[in-house]
């Protein structure tokens, strides 16, 4: 399934339950928000996004624990969880979706290229996924978008 088809499913499911989504991106740098807004009518369910590429913005804007960032850096599953919770709260959405990781070309925070952490926060709690992706920088970033959309689709009622 393409990212566009996944985004169509996301919006249909959100409309069906009267819900909304907001995204917090680091690794994907706006690609996830772009995939969601490519769908006509996205404004009915997409609240907005925060691209917090700099580590300190994850703390100051999204509320990620500064101690966690100091010890583990920004590439950590709990960081993804806190980003999703933070954007959900900040933008008043039913669901928050977050991406963080290492697209390359070099390791970051002691984590190898292809390390990805995704999270979706919603009424039923927060779910984290950590797929291991490979390939060039663009391939990893696009793969993270697909995996994030799939994670959200899996949390929403089927439509």
């Amino acid at each position: 399934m393409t990212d566009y088809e996944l985004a169509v499913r996301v919006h249909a499911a959100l409309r069906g339950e009267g819900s909304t989504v907001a995204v917090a991106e680091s690794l994907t740098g706006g690609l996830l928000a772009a995939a969601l807004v490519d769908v006509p009518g996205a404004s009915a369910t997409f609240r907005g996004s925060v691209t917090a590429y700099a580590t300190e913005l994850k703390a100051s804007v999204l509320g990620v624990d500064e101690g966690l960032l100091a010890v583990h850096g920004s590439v950590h599953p709990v960081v993804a969880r806190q980003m999703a919770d933070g954007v959900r709260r900040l933008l008043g959405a039913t669901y928050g979706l977050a991406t963080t990781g290492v697209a390359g070309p070099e390791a970051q925070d002691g984590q190898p290229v292809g390390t990805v952490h995704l999270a979706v926060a919603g009424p039923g709690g927060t779910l984290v996924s950590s797929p291991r992706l490979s390939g060039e920088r663009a391939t990893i970033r696009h793969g993270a978008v697909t995996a994030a959309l799939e994670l959200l689709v899996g949390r929403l009622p089927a439509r």
Side-chain angles (χ1 to χ4, degrees):
M1 188 174 296
T2 68
D3 288 349
Y4 182 80
E5 292 167 328
L6 286 166
V8 167
R9 286 186 63 190
V10 163
H11 290 298
L14 290 170
R15 271 191 310 277
E17 66 173 29
S19 296
T20 57
V21 66
V23 299
E25 302 184 66
S26 182
L27 163 75
T28 50
L31 291 174
L32 181 55
L36 287 165
V37 301
D38 275 347
V39 177
S43 60
T45 56
F46 182 69
R47 295 281 299 159
S49 65
V50 173
T51 301
Y53 212 65
T55 299
E56 66 271 12
L57 292 178
K58 291 172 183 68
S60 65
V61 176
L62 296 171
V64 175
D65 181 80
E66 290 179 0
L68 173 69
L69 292 168
V71 172
H72 295 287
S74 63
V75 183
H76 192 273
V78 179
V79 171
R81 173 184 299 273
Q82 290 183 6
M83 287 173 66
D85 289 335
V87 79
R88 177 180 181 223
R89 184 176 48 255
L90 180 68
L91 299 184
T94 313
Y95 295 92
L97 186 58
T99 67
T100 189
V102 184
E106 298 172 356
Q108 178 186 333
D109 297 331
Q111 300 298 319
V113 172
T115 301
V116 173
H117 301 293
L118 312 167
V120 59
T126 305
L127 177 65
V128 177
S129 174
S130 298
R132 182 85 172 109
L133 303 178
S134 61
E136 298 295 321
R137 180 176 173 79
T139 302
I140 291 169
R141 292 177 68 225
H142 285 281
V145 168
T146 301
L149 290 170
E150 290 172 342
L151 183 65
L152 181 56
V153 165
R155 283 289 303 272
L156 297 170
R159 289 276 166 202

